[in-house]
Amino acid sequence: MFLLGAAPAVLLASPSYLTDLTYALAIGLMLLPLRHALLLGLATLLGQILWTRLAQGEVAWAQWPSSSA
């Protein structure tokens, strides 16, 4: 499920398509033992931050860009 959740982002080469990974990650966190779920969650978080920073130059923490520009 994790690979299927990440497939759109990998195939389209954009971290913007990682929404499906959220559902796969939620299922993995519920079904795996706590130790493995914690490692999976942390690895996913760090991977998404790294990929987004490399692809877009920044990590946009807000859903919408601020209008103060």
Side-chain angles (χ1 to χ4, degrees):
M1 291 193 98
F2 196 80
L3 294 175
L4 288 174
V10 172
L11 293 174
L12 297 172
S14 174
S16 300
Y17 296 99
L18 286 172
T19 305
D20 295 336
L21 187 60
T22 304
Y23 300 109
L25 184 61
I27 292 169
L29 293 176
M30 287 187 279
L31 296 177
L32 290 173
L34 181 59
R35 178 179 18 187
H36 300 297
L38 180 62
L39 291 175
L40 177 67
L42 288 175
T44 303
L45 174 69
L46 294 175
Q48 286 183 349
I49 290 173
L50 179 66
W51 189 12
T52 303
R53 182 165 298 267
L54 290 174
Q56 299 175 352
E58 67 176 348
V59 177
W61 296 105
Q63 184 176 4
W64 303 105
S66 63
S67 60
S68 62

